[in-house]
Amino acid sequence: MTKRKAGTFSATKAVKANARERVGQPKPARVVEDKPRTGRRAKHKPKLEQVIRQEE
């Protein structure tokens, strides 16, 4: 049987594993669905011709 290769040490993984032991697993993130915007303003200002036509 071949020997198992020792993994490289990762400080980040060690710190996270230590934190999980002390605090526990973090809660899974919830996806908050955004409602589509309905009353959106116009992106561009109306042209002068359009403003004049609306006044008439």
mmCIF file of all heavy atoms in Angstrom:
data_model
loop_
_atom_site.group_PDB
_atom_site.id
_atom_site.type_symbol
_atom_site.label_atom_id
_atom_site.label_comp_id
_atom_site.label_asym_id
_atom_site.label_seq_id
_atom_site.Cartn_x
_atom_site.Cartn_y
_atom_site.Cartn_z
ATOM 1 N N MET A 1 0.838 -1.173 0.000
ATOM 2 C CA MET A 1 0.000 0.000 0.000
ATOM 3 C C MET A 1 0.889 1.244 0.000
ATOM 4 O O MET A 1 1.880 1.306 0.723
ATOM 5 C CB MET A 1 -0.854 -0.004 1.272
ATOM 6 C CG MET A 1 -2.179 0.656 1.068
ATOM 7 S SD MET A 1 -3.324 0.204 2.348
ATOM 8 C CE MET A 1 -3.240 1.621 3.361
ATOM 9 N N THR A 2 0.514 2.239 -0.797
ATOM 10 C CA THR A 2 1.325 3.452 -0.868
ATOM 11 C C THR A 2 1.015 4.377 0.304
ATOM 12 O O THR A 2 -0.093 4.373 0.843
ATOM 13 C CB THR A 2 1.054 4.204 -2.182
ATOM 14 O OG1 THR A 2 -0.319 4.536 -2.245
ATOM 15 C CG2 THR A 2 1.408 3.360 -3.390
ATOM 16 N N LYS A 3 2.016 5.156 0.682
ATOM 17 C CA LYS A 3 1.831 6.104 1.775
ATOM 18 C C LYS A 3 0.986 7.283 1.300
ATOM 19 O O LYS A 3 1.083 7.698 0.157
ATOM 20 C CB LYS A 3 3.181 6.630 2.268
ATOM 21 C CG LYS A 3 3.986 5.608 3.019
ATOM 22 C CD LYS A 3 5.218 6.258 3.576
ATOM 23 C CE LYS A 3 6.037 5.281 4.386
ATOM 24 N NZ LYS A 3 7.234 5.896 4.953
ATOM 25 N N ARG A 4 0.188 7.802 2.214
ATOM 26 C CA ARG A 4 -0.645 8.942 1.898
ATOM 27 C C ARG A 4 0.209 10.204 1.957
ATOM 28 O O ARG A 4 0.995 10.402 2.881
ATOM 29 C CB ARG A 4 -1.783 9.042 2.892
ATOM 30 C CG ARG A 4 -2.794 10.096 2.519
ATOM 31 C CD ARG A 4 -3.975 10.012 3.438
ATOM 32 N NE ARG A 4 -4.953 11.014 3.040
ATOM 33 C CZ ARG A 4 -5.950 11.407 3.775
ATOM 34 N NH1 ARG A 4 -6.122 10.875 4.969
ATOM 35 N NH2 ARG A 4 -6.798 12.307 3.361
ATOM 36 N N LYS A 5 0.037 11.058 0.948
ATOM 37 C CA LYS A 5 0.820 12.279 0.879
ATOM 38 C C LYS A 5 0.244 13.310 1.851
ATOM 39 O O LYS A 5 -0.958 13.546 1.873
ATOM 40 C CB LYS A 5 0.777 12.833 -0.545
ATOM 41 C CG LYS A 5 1.654 14.030 -0.772
ATOM 42 C CD LYS A 5 1.590 14.476 -2.222
ATOM 43 C CE LYS A 5 2.454 15.690 -2.430
ATOM 44 N NZ LYS A 5 2.403 16.165 -3.817
ATOM 45 N N ALA A 6 1.108 13.892 2.660
ATOM 46 C CA ALA A 6 0.674 14.910 3.612
ATOM 47 C C ALA A 6 0.333 16.188 2.856
ATOM 48 O O ALA A 6 1.097 16.641 2.000
ATOM 49 C CB ALA A 6 1.770 15.172 4.631
ATOM 50 N N GLY A 7 -0.828 16.803 3.167
ATOM 51 C CA GLY A 7 -1.238 18.024 2.489
ATOM 52 C C GLY A 7 -0.425 19.211 2.954
ATOM 53 O O GLY A 7 0.161 19.206 4.035
ATOM 54 N N THR A 8 -0.386 20.231 2.138
ATOM 55 C CA THR A 8 0.351 21.433 2.516
ATOM 56 C C THR A 8 -0.455 22.202 3.548
ATOM 57 O O THR A 8 -1.685 22.228 3.501
ATOM 58 C CB THR A 8 0.603 22.331 1.290
ATOM 59 O OG1 THR A 8 -0.645 22.637 0.679
ATOM 60 C CG2 THR A 8 1.487 21.625 0.278
ATOM 61 N N PHE A 9 0.242 22.827 4.473
ATOM 62 C CA PHE A 9 -0.417 23.562 5.548
ATOM 63 C C PHE A 9 -0.932 24.889 5.024
ATOM 64 O O PHE A 9 -0.238 25.625 4.328
ATOM 65 C CB PHE A 9 0.562 23.819 6.700
ATOM 66 C CG PHE A 9 -0.044 24.626 7.812
ATOM 67 C CD1 PHE A 9 -0.923 24.038 8.702
ATOM 68 C CD2 PHE A 9 0.258 25.964 7.966
ATOM 69 C CE1 PHE A 9 -1.491 24.782 9.733
ATOM 70 C CE2 PHE A 9 -0.297 26.712 8.987
ATOM 71 C CZ PHE A 9 -1.177 26.108 9.874
ATOM 72 N N SER A 10 -2.182 25.172 5.342
ATOM 73 C CA SER A 10 -2.797 26.438 4.967
ATOM 74 C C SER A 10 -3.253 27.129 6.248
ATOM 75 O O SER A 10 -4.107 26.615 6.969
ATOM 76 C CB SER A 10 -3.983 26.204 4.035
ATOM 77 O OG SER A 10 -4.673 27.416 3.828
ATOM 78 N N ALA A 11 -2.683 28.290 6.526
ATOM 79 C CA ALA A 11 -3.028 29.021 7.750
ATOM 80 C C ALA A 11 -4.493 29.445 7.734
ATOM 81 O O ALA A 11 -5.169 29.412 8.759
ATOM 82 C CB ALA A 11 -2.133 30.239 7.893
ATOM 83 N N THR A 12 -4.991 29.811 6.581
ATOM 84 C CA THR A 12 -6.386 30.245 6.472
ATOM 85 C C THR A 12 -7.337 29.131 6.859
ATOM 86 O O THR A 12 -8.284 29.331 7.626
ATOM 87 C CB THR A 12 -6.685 30.701 5.033
ATOM 88 O OG1 THR A 12 -5.742 31.685 4.640
ATOM 89 C CG2 THR A 12 -8.083 31.252 4.905
ATOM 90 N N LYS A 13 -7.087 27.937 6.334
ATOM 91 C CA LYS A 13 -7.956 26.797 6.649
ATOM 92 C C LYS A 13 -7.866 26.431 8.123
ATOM 93 O O LYS A 13 -8.864 26.064 8.740
ATOM 94 C CB LYS A 13 -7.593 25.593 5.784
ATOM 95 C CG LYS A 13 -7.998 25.774 4.340
ATOM 96 C CD LYS A 13 -7.687 24.542 3.530
ATOM 97 C CE LYS A 13 -8.071 24.722 2.079
ATOM 98 N NZ LYS A 13 -7.768 23.537 1.274
ATOM 99 N N ALA A 14 -6.672 26.550 8.698
ATOM 100 C CA ALA A 14 -6.497 26.223 10.108
ATOM 101 C C ALA A 14 -7.261 27.211 10.995
ATOM 102 O O ALA A 14 -7.922 26.821 11.952
ATOM 103 C CB ALA A 14 -5.016 26.228 10.463
ATOM 104 N N VAL A 15 -7.213 28.491 10.648
ATOM 105 C CA VAL A 15 -7.917 29.513 11.423
ATOM 106 C C VAL A 15 -9.418 29.311 11.318
ATOM 107 O O VAL A 15 -10.147 29.385 12.305
ATOM 108 C CB VAL A 15 -7.509 30.928 10.937
ATOM 109 C CG1 VAL A 15 -8.413 31.986 11.516
ATOM 110 C CG2 VAL A 15 -6.068 31.200 11.311
ATOM 111 N N LYS A 16 -9.904 29.032 10.120
ATOM 112 C CA LYS A 16 -11.339 28.822 9.933
ATOM 113 C C LYS A 16 -11.822 27.579 10.675
ATOM 114 O O LYS A 16 -12.902 27.579 11.273
ATOM 115 C CB LYS A 16 -11.669 28.706 8.450
ATOM 116 C CG LYS A 16 -11.593 30.027 7.715
ATOM 117 C CD LYS A 16 -12.014 29.871 6.280
ATOM 118 C CE LYS A 16 -11.971 31.199 5.551
ATOM 119 N NZ LYS A 16 -12.457 31.087 4.169
ATOM 120 N N ALA A 17 -11.040 26.516 10.644
ATOM 121 C CA ALA A 17 -11.419 25.297 11.353
ATOM 122 C C ALA A 17 -11.466 25.548 12.855
ATOM 123 O O ALA A 17 -12.377 25.067 13.551
ATOM 124 C CB ALA A 17 -10.433 24.178 11.026
ATOM 125 N N ASN A 18 -10.518 26.307 13.375
ATOM 126 C CA ASN A 18 -10.488 26.648 14.792
ATOM 127 C C ASN A 18 -11.712 27.477 15.175
ATOM 128 O O ASN A 18 -12.332 27.259 16.218
ATOM 129 C CB ASN A 18 -9.197 27.409 15.113
ATOM 130 C CG ASN A 18 -8.989 27.585 16.590
ATOM 131 O OD1 ASN A 18 -9.634 26.933 17.408
ATOM 132 N ND2 ASN A 18 -8.100 28.477 16.956
ATOM 133 N N ALA A 19 -12.081 28.432 14.319
ATOM 134 C CA ALA A 19 -13.248 29.271 14.591
ATOM 135 C C ALA A 19 -14.524 28.441 14.565
ATOM 136 O O ALA A 19 -15.434 28.656 15.366
ATOM 137 C CB ALA A 19 -13.327 30.396 13.571
ATOM 138 N N ARG A 20 -14.619 27.479 13.639
ATOM 139 C CA ARG A 20 -15.806 26.623 13.562
ATOM 140 C C ARG A 20 -15.960 25.781 14.818
ATOM 141 O O ARG A 20 -17.065 25.533 15.280
ATOM 142 C CB ARG A 20 -15.737 25.715 12.338
ATOM 143 C CG ARG A 20 -16.329 26.345 11.109
ATOM 144 C CD ARG A 20 -16.438 25.352 9.974
ATOM 145 N NE ARG A 20 -15.770 25.915 8.827
ATOM 146 C CZ ARG A 20 -14.621 25.526 8.318
ATOM 147 N NH1 ARG A 20 -13.967 24.515 8.854
ATOM 148 N NH2 ARG A 20 -14.103 26.110 7.276
ATOM 149 N N GLU A 21 -14.847 25.336 15.377
ATOM 150 C CA GLU A 21 -14.909 24.532 16.600
ATOM 151 C C GLU A 21 -15.425 25.371 17.769
ATOM 152 O O GLU A 21 -16.218 24.902 18.571
ATOM 153 C CB GLU A 21 -13.518 23.993 16.947
ATOM 154 C CG GLU A 21 -13.052 22.885 16.036
ATOM 155 C CD GLU A 21 -11.640 22.441 16.374
ATOM 156 O OE1 GLU A 21 -11.103 22.878 17.417
ATOM 157 O OE2 GLU A 21 -11.067 21.661 15.588
ATOM 158 N N ARG A 22 -14.989 26.613 17.846
ATOM 159 C CA ARG A 22 -15.364 27.464 18.986
ATOM 160 C C ARG A 22 -16.769 28.043 18.844
ATOM 161 O O ARG A 22 -17.554 28.014 19.775
ATOM 162 C CB ARG A 22 -14.371 28.614 19.142
ATOM 163 C CG ARG A 22 -13.005 28.136 19.541
ATOM 164 C CD ARG A 22 -12.063 29.285 19.699
ATOM 165 N NE ARG A 22 -10.724 28.803 20.016
ATOM 166 C CZ ARG A 22 -9.865 29.481 20.733
ATOM 167 N NH1 ARG A 22 -10.177 30.662 21.195
ATOM 168 N NH2 ARG A 22 -8.681 28.990 20.976
ATOM 169 N N VAL A 23 -17.084 28.594 17.682
ATOM 170 C CA VAL A 23 -18.343 29.299 17.493
ATOM 171 C C VAL A 23 -19.415 28.398 16.892
ATOM 172 O O VAL A 23 -20.571 28.467 17.255
ATOM 173 C CB VAL A 23 -18.132 30.543 16.589
ATOM 174 C CG1 VAL A 23 -19.425 31.285 16.360
ATOM 175 C CG2 VAL A 23 -17.098 31.463 17.194
ATOM 176 N N GLY A 24 -19.053 27.570 15.965
ATOM 177 C CA GLY A 24 -20.006 26.719 15.266
ATOM 178 C C GLY A 24 -20.100 27.122 13.804
ATOM 179 O O GLY A 24 -19.519 28.111 13.378
ATOM 180 N N GLN A 25 -20.859 26.338 13.069
ATOM 181 C CA GLN A 25 -21.003 26.606 11.638
ATOM 182 C C GLN A 25 -21.793 27.892 11.424
ATOM 183 O O GLN A 25 -22.744 28.166 12.141
ATOM 184 C CB GLN A 25 -21.754 25.453 10.960
ATOM 185 C CG GLN A 25 -20.925 24.205 10.787
ATOM 186 C CD GLN A 25 -19.977 24.293 9.617
ATOM 187 O OE1 GLN A 25 -19.909 25.290 8.919
ATOM 188 N NE2 GLN A 25 -19.210 23.246 9.426
ATOM 189 N N PRO A 26 -21.413 28.697 10.430
ATOM 190 C CA PRO A 26 -22.210 29.886 10.125
ATOM 191 C C PRO A 26 -23.536 29.483 9.497
ATOM 192 O O PRO A 26 -23.638 28.438 8.851
ATOM 193 C CB PRO A 26 -21.343 30.655 9.127
ATOM 194 C CG PRO A 26 -20.455 29.644 8.525
ATOM 195 C CD PRO A 26 -20.236 28.593 9.576
ATOM 196 N N LYS A 27 -24.552 30.299 9.707
ATOM 197 C CA LYS A 27 -25.859 30.018 9.132
ATOM 198 C C LYS A 27 -25.794 30.208 7.620
ATOM 199 O O LYS A 27 -25.084 31.085 7.128
ATOM 200 C CB LYS A 27 -26.909 30.959 9.721
ATOM 201 C CG LYS A 27 -27.145 30.722 11.184
ATOM 202 C CD LYS A 27 -28.201 31.656 11.712
ATOM 203 C CE LYS A 27 -28.402 31.438 13.200
ATOM 204 N NZ LYS A 27 -29.400 32.371 13.754
ATOM 205 N N PRO A 28 -26.533 29.406 6.866
ATOM 206 C CA PRO A 28 -26.517 29.574 5.416
ATOM 207 C C PRO A 28 -27.148 30.906 5.021
ATOM 208 O O PRO A 28 -28.094 31.367 5.648
ATOM 209 C CB PRO A 28 -27.341 28.397 4.900
ATOM 210 C CG PRO A 28 -28.150 27.943 6.046
ATOM 211 C CD PRO A 28 -27.371 28.289 7.284
ATOM 212 N N ALA A 29 -26.604 31.506 4.000
ATOM 213 C CA ALA A 29 -27.100 32.806 3.552
ATOM 214 C C ALA A 29 -28.434 32.637 2.854
ATOM 215 O O ALA A 29 -28.652 31.671 2.118
ATOM 216 C CB ALA A 29 -26.092 33.450 2.601
ATOM 217 N N ARG A 30 -29.337 33.589 3.097
ATOM 218 C CA ARG A 30 -30.633 33.556 2.431
ATOM 219 C C ARG A 30 -30.608 34.522 1.262
ATOM 220 O O ARG A 30 -30.073 35.625 1.359
ATOM 221 C CB ARG A 30 -31.749 33.965 3.387
ATOM 222 C CG ARG A 30 -31.977 32.967 4.481
ATOM 223 C CD ARG A 30 -33.218 33.307 5.246
ATOM 224 N NE ARG A 30 -33.188 34.691 5.722
ATOM 225 C CZ ARG A 30 -34.189 35.271 6.373
ATOM 226 N NH1 ARG A 30 -35.273 34.606 6.636
ATOM 227 N NH2 ARG A 30 -34.089 36.519 6.762
ATOM 228 N N VAL A 31 -31.226 34.117 0.166
ATOM 229 C CA VAL A 31 -31.310 34.968 -1.007
ATOM 230 C C VAL A 31 -32.555 35.829 -0.869
ATOM 231 O O VAL A 31 -33.656 35.326 -0.705
ATOM 232 C CB VAL A 31 -31.385 34.128 -2.304
ATOM 233 C CG1 VAL A 31 -31.543 35.017 -3.514
ATOM 234 C CG2 VAL A 31 -30.148 33.268 -2.428
ATOM 235 N N VAL A 32 -32.368 37.129 -0.888
ATOM 236 C CA VAL A 32 -33.492 38.057 -0.801
ATOM 237 C C VAL A 32 -33.820 38.491 -2.219
ATOM 238 O O VAL A 32 -32.995 39.101 -2.908
ATOM 239 C CB VAL A 32 -33.127 39.289 0.061
ATOM 240 C CG1 VAL A 32 -34.282 40.268 0.097
ATOM 241 C CG2 VAL A 32 -32.733 38.846 1.448
ATOM 242 N N GLU A 33 -35.045 38.162 -2.652
ATOM 243 C CA GLU A 33 -35.430 38.502 -4.012
ATOM 244 C C GLU A 33 -35.876 39.966 -4.071
ATOM 245 O O GLU A 33 -36.692 40.399 -3.275
ATOM 246 C CB GLU A 33 -36.551 37.591 -4.483
ATOM 247 C CG GLU A 33 -36.115 36.146 -4.595
ATOM 248 C CD GLU A 33 -37.195 35.269 -5.194
ATOM 249 O OE1 GLU A 33 -38.072 35.817 -5.895
ATOM 250 O OE2 GLU A 33 -37.157 34.073 -4.965
ATOM 251 N N ASP A 34 -35.306 40.686 -5.001
ATOM 252 C CA ASP A 34 -35.671 42.084 -5.182
ATOM 253 C C ASP A 34 -36.926 42.165 -6.031
ATOM 254 O O ASP A 34 -37.049 41.482 -7.050
ATOM 255 C CB ASP A 34 -34.544 42.862 -5.861
ATOM 256 C CG ASP A 34 -33.305 42.924 -4.994
ATOM 257 O OD1 ASP A 34 -33.458 42.887 -3.760
ATOM 258 O OD2 ASP A 34 -32.190 43.005 -5.549
ATOM 259 N N LYS A 35 -37.849 43.017 -5.615
ATOM 260 C CA LYS A 35 -39.064 43.219 -6.398
ATOM 261 C C LYS A 35 -38.726 44.116 -7.575
ATOM 262 O O LYS A 35 -37.950 45.066 -7.440
ATOM 263 C CB LYS A 35 -40.141 43.865 -5.537
ATOM 264 C CG LYS A 35 -40.603 42.992 -4.406
ATOM 265 C CD LYS A 35 -41.658 43.695 -3.593
ATOM 266 C CE LYS A 35 -42.079 42.834 -2.420
ATOM 267 N NZ LYS A 35 -43.072 43.502 -1.568
ATOM 268 N N PRO A 36 -39.302 43.825 -8.735
ATOM 269 C CA PRO A 36 -39.016 44.705 -9.877
ATOM 270 C C PRO A 36 -39.605 46.095 -9.647
ATOM 271 O O PRO A 36 -40.703 46.231 -9.110
ATOM 272 C CB PRO A 36 -39.699 44.008 -11.051
ATOM 273 C CG PRO A 36 -40.718 43.131 -10.432
ATOM 274 C CD PRO A 36 -40.189 42.745 -9.076
ATOM 275 N N ARG A 37 -38.876 47.095 -10.018
ATOM 276 C CA ARG A 37 -39.322 48.468 -9.844
ATOM 277 C C ARG A 37 -40.368 48.789 -10.911
ATOM 278 O O ARG A 37 -40.184 48.492 -12.085
ATOM 279 C CB ARG A 37 -38.156 49.439 -9.985
ATOM 280 C CG ARG A 37 -37.108 49.246 -8.934
ATOM 281 C CD ARG A 37 -35.992 50.245 -9.157
ATOM 282 N NE ARG A 37 -34.878 49.973 -8.279
ATOM 283 C CZ ARG A 37 -33.737 50.626 -8.310
ATOM 284 N NH1 ARG A 37 -33.553 51.578 -9.204
ATOM 285 N NH2 ARG A 37 -32.767 50.330 -7.486
ATOM 286 N N THR A 38 -41.450 49.385 -10.478
ATOM 287 C CA THR A 38 -42.503 49.715 -11.440
ATOM 288 C C THR A 38 -42.562 51.210 -11.703
ATOM 289 O O THR A 38 -42.749 51.636 -12.822
ATOM 290 C CB THR A 38 -43.874 49.231 -10.925
ATOM 291 O OG1 THR A 38 -44.075 49.764 -9.622
ATOM 292 C CG2 THR A 38 -43.921 47.729 -10.850
ATOM 293 N N GLY A 39 -42.411 52.033 -10.692
ATOM 294 C CA GLY A 39 -42.512 53.474 -10.868
ATOM 295 C C GLY A 39 -41.184 54.121 -11.146
ATOM 296 O O GLY A 39 -40.780 55.045 -10.456
ATOM 297 N N ARG A 40 -40.500 53.645 -12.122
ATOM 298 C CA ARG A 40 -39.172 54.154 -12.428
ATOM 299 C C ARG A 40 -39.262 55.461 -13.207
ATOM 300 O O ARG A 40 -40.077 55.612 -14.103
ATOM 301 C CB ARG A 40 -38.421 53.113 -13.250
ATOM 302 C CG ARG A 40 -36.947 53.424 -13.392
ATOM 303 C CD ARG A 40 -36.249 52.374 -14.188
ATOM 304 N NE ARG A 40 -36.229 51.116 -13.445
ATOM 305 C CZ ARG A 40 -35.591 50.048 -13.853
ATOM 306 N NH1 ARG A 40 -34.947 50.051 -14.996
ATOM 307 N NH2 ARG A 40 -35.609 48.946 -13.140
ATOM 308 N N ARG A 41 -38.441 56.424 -12.865
ATOM 309 C CA ARG A 41 -38.409 57.700 -13.568
ATOM 310 C C ARG A 41 -37.746 57.524 -14.923
ATOM 311 O O ARG A 41 -37.011 56.572 -15.154
ATOM 312 C CB ARG A 41 -37.601 58.728 -12.783
ATOM 313 C CG ARG A 41 -38.189 59.087 -11.456
ATOM 314 C CD ARG A 41 -37.318 60.147 -10.820
ATOM 315 N NE ARG A 41 -37.705 60.376 -9.440
ATOM 316 C CZ ARG A 41 -37.012 61.093 -8.590
ATOM 317 N NH1 ARG A 41 -35.868 61.634 -8.964
ATOM 318 N NH2 ARG A 41 -37.423 61.254 -7.351
ATOM 319 N N ALA A 42 -37.993 58.470 -15.797
ATOM 320 C CA ALA A 42 -37.361 58.441 -17.111
ATOM 321 C C ALA A 42 -35.871 58.701 -16.941
ATOM 322 O O ALA A 42 -35.465 59.534 -16.126
ATOM 323 C CB ALA A 42 -37.979 59.489 -18.028
ATOM 324 N N LYS A 43 -35.076 58.003 -17.716
ATOM 325 C CA LYS A 43 -33.626 58.155 -17.597
ATOM 326 C C LYS A 43 -33.148 59.472 -18.200
ATOM 327 O O LYS A 43 -32.174 60.043 -17.749
ATOM 328 C CB LYS A 43 -32.915 56.995 -18.308
ATOM 329 C CG LYS A 43 -32.945 55.713 -17.541
ATOM 330 C CD LYS A 43 -32.036 54.705 -18.183
ATOM 331 C CE LYS A 43 -31.925 53.469 -17.347
ATOM 332 N NZ LYS A 43 -31.027 52.480 -17.931
ATOM 333 N N HIS A 44 -33.853 59.931 -19.245
ATOM 334 C CA HIS A 44 -33.403 61.140 -19.927
ATOM 335 C C HIS A 44 -34.461 62.227 -19.772
ATOM 336 O O HIS A 44 -35.653 61.946 -19.665
ATOM 337 C CB HIS A 44 -33.169 60.865 -21.416
ATOM 338 C CG HIS A 44 -32.212 59.740 -21.640
ATOM 339 N ND1 HIS A 44 -30.860 59.867 -21.436
ATOM 340 C CD2 HIS A 44 -32.406 58.459 -22.033
ATOM 341 C CE1 HIS A 44 -30.270 58.707 -21.702
ATOM 342 N NE2 HIS A 44 -31.170 57.844 -22.060
ATOM 343 N N LYS A 45 -34.011 63.436 -19.775
ATOM 344 C CA LYS A 45 -34.946 64.552 -19.706
ATOM 345 C C LYS A 45 -35.737 64.590 -21.014
ATOM 346 O O LYS A 45 -35.211 64.289 -22.086
ATOM 347 C CB LYS A 45 -34.192 65.867 -19.532
ATOM 348 C CG LYS A 45 -33.531 66.030 -18.202
ATOM 349 C CD LYS A 45 -32.881 67.404 -18.128
ATOM 350 C CE LYS A 45 -32.216 67.618 -16.792
ATOM 351 N NZ LYS A 45 -31.576 68.938 -16.703
ATOM 352 N N PRO A 46 -37.010 64.990 -20.938
ATOM 353 C CA PRO A 46 -37.778 65.115 -22.182
ATOM 354 C C PRO A 46 -37.226 66.260 -23.026
ATOM 355 O O PRO A 46 -36.743 67.269 -22.508
ATOM 356 C CB PRO A 46 -39.199 65.409 -21.708
ATOM 357 C CG PRO A 46 -39.052 65.907 -20.324
ATOM 358 C CD PRO A 46 -37.818 65.283 -19.769
ATOM 359 N N LYS A 47 -37.329 66.087 -24.342
ATOM 360 C CA LYS A 47 -36.827 67.115 -25.241
ATOM 361 C C LYS A 47 -37.736 68.335 -25.181
ATOM 362 O O LYS A 47 -38.898 68.256 -24.778
ATOM 363 C CB LYS A 47 -36.761 66.563 -26.656
ATOM 364 C CG LYS A 47 -35.747 65.446 -26.797
ATOM 365 C CD LYS A 47 -35.659 64.969 -28.215
ATOM 366 C CE LYS A 47 -34.666 63.828 -28.316
ATOM 367 N NZ LYS A 47 -34.561 63.308 -29.676
ATOM 368 N N LEU A 48 -37.198 69.460 -25.565
ATOM 369 C CA LEU A 48 -37.935 70.718 -25.511
ATOM 370 C C LEU A 48 -39.213 70.634 -26.345
ATOM 371 O O LEU A 48 -40.264 71.139 -25.956
ATOM 372 C CB LEU A 48 -37.034 71.852 -25.991
ATOM 373 C CG LEU A 48 -37.629 73.253 -25.942
ATOM 374 C CD1 LEU A 48 -37.991 73.620 -24.507
ATOM 375 C CD2 LEU A 48 -36.676 74.264 -26.518
ATOM 376 N N GLU A 49 -39.135 69.971 -27.498
ATOM 377 C CA GLU A 49 -40.315 69.837 -28.356
ATOM 378 C C GLU A 49 -41.424 69.083 -27.634
ATOM 379 O O GLU A 49 -42.594 69.449 -27.715
ATOM 380 C CB GLU A 49 -39.942 69.116 -29.647
ATOM 381 C CG GLU A 49 -38.955 69.873 -30.511
ATOM 382 C CD GLU A 49 -38.468 69.036 -31.691
ATOM 383 O OE1 GLU A 49 -38.933 67.892 -31.841
ATOM 384 O OE2 GLU A 49 -37.636 69.550 -32.442
ATOM 385 N N GLN A 50 -41.064 68.029 -26.927
ATOM 386 C CA GLN A 50 -42.067 67.237 -26.200
ATOM 387 C C GLN A 50 -42.692 68.044 -25.077
ATOM 388 O O GLN A 50 -43.895 67.959 -24.832
ATOM 389 C CB GLN A 50 -41.435 65.961 -25.647
ATOM 390 C CG GLN A 50 -40.984 64.987 -26.715
ATOM 391 C CD GLN A 50 -40.233 63.815 -26.131
ATOM 392 O OE1 GLN A 50 -39.879 63.817 -24.955
ATOM 393 N NE2 GLN A 50 -39.996 62.803 -26.966
ATOM 394 N N VAL A 51 -41.913 68.867 -24.383
ATOM 395 C CA VAL A 51 -42.434 69.676 -23.299
ATOM 396 C C VAL A 51 -43.422 70.704 -23.836
ATOM 397 O O VAL A 51 -44.503 70.928 -23.277
ATOM 398 C CB VAL A 51 -41.282 70.382 -22.545
ATOM 399 C CG1 VAL A 51 -41.826 71.363 -21.517
ATOM 400 C CG2 VAL A 51 -40.369 69.369 -21.905
ATOM 401 N N ILE A 52 -43.089 71.305 -24.979
ATOM 402 C CA ILE A 52 -43.970 72.299 -25.592
ATOM 403 C C ILE A 52 -45.278 71.647 -26.032
ATOM 404 O O ILE A 52 -46.364 72.208 -25.847
ATOM 405 C CB ILE A 52 -43.267 73.010 -26.768
ATOM 406 C CG1 ILE A 52 -42.083 73.838 -26.235
ATOM 407 C CG2 ILE A 52 -44.245 73.899 -27.547
ATOM 408 C CD1 ILE A 52 -41.201 74.416 -27.322
ATOM 409 N N ARG A 53 -45.216 70.474 -26.619
ATOM 410 C CA ARG A 53 -46.416 69.757 -27.067
ATOM 411 C C ARG A 53 -47.326 69.418 -25.893
ATOM 412 O O ARG A 53 -48.542 69.476 -26.011
ATOM 413 C CB ARG A 53 -46.041 68.477 -27.804
ATOM 414 C CG ARG A 53 -45.457 68.726 -29.170
ATOM 415 C CD ARG A 53 -45.121 67.429 -29.849
ATOM 416 N NE ARG A 53 -44.270 67.673 -31.003
ATOM 417 C CZ ARG A 53 -43.526 66.746 -31.588
ATOM 418 N NH1 ARG A 53 -43.545 65.527 -31.142
ATOM 419 N NH2 ARG A 53 -42.786 67.065 -32.626
ATOM 420 N N GLN A 54 -46.748 69.051 -24.752
ATOM 421 C CA GLN A 54 -47.562 68.686 -23.585
ATOM 422 C C GLN A 54 -48.281 69.906 -23.024
ATOM 423 O O GLN A 54 -49.395 69.800 -22.534
ATOM 424 C CB GLN A 54 -46.687 68.058 -22.493
ATOM 425 C CG GLN A 54 -46.216 66.674 -22.803
ATOM 426 C CD GLN A 54 -45.324 66.101 -21.706
ATOM 427 O OE1 GLN A 54 -44.969 66.802 -20.762
ATOM 428 N NE2 GLN A 54 -44.960 64.838 -21.856
ATOM 429 N N GLU A 55 -47.650 71.082 -23.119
ATOM 430 C CA GLU A 55 -48.277 72.303 -22.598
ATOM 431 C C GLU A 55 -49.477 72.727 -23.432
ATOM 432 O O GLU A 55 -50.406 73.345 -22.942
ATOM 433 C CB GLU A 55 -47.255 73.428 -22.517
ATOM 434 C CG GLU A 55 -46.216 73.213 -21.448
ATOM 435 C CD GLU A 55 -45.170 74.316 -21.436
ATOM 436 O OE1 GLU A 55 -45.280 75.265 -22.233
ATOM 437 O OE2 GLU A 55 -44.233 74.221 -20.614
ATOM 438 N N GLU A 56 -49.442 72.389 -24.722
ATOM 439 C CA GLU A 56 -50.530 72.818 -25.623
ATOM 440 C C GLU A 56 -51.762 72.035 -25.437
ATOM 441 O O GLU A 56 -52.260 71.283 -24.968
ATOM 442 C CB GLU A 56 -50.110 72.681 -27.087
ATOM 443 C CG GLU A 56 -49.030 73.658 -27.457
ATOM 444 C CD GLU A 56 -48.573 73.465 -28.878
ATOM 445 O OE1 GLU A 56 -48.950 72.477 -29.532
ATOM 446 O OE2 GLU A 56 -47.803 74.310 -29.354
#
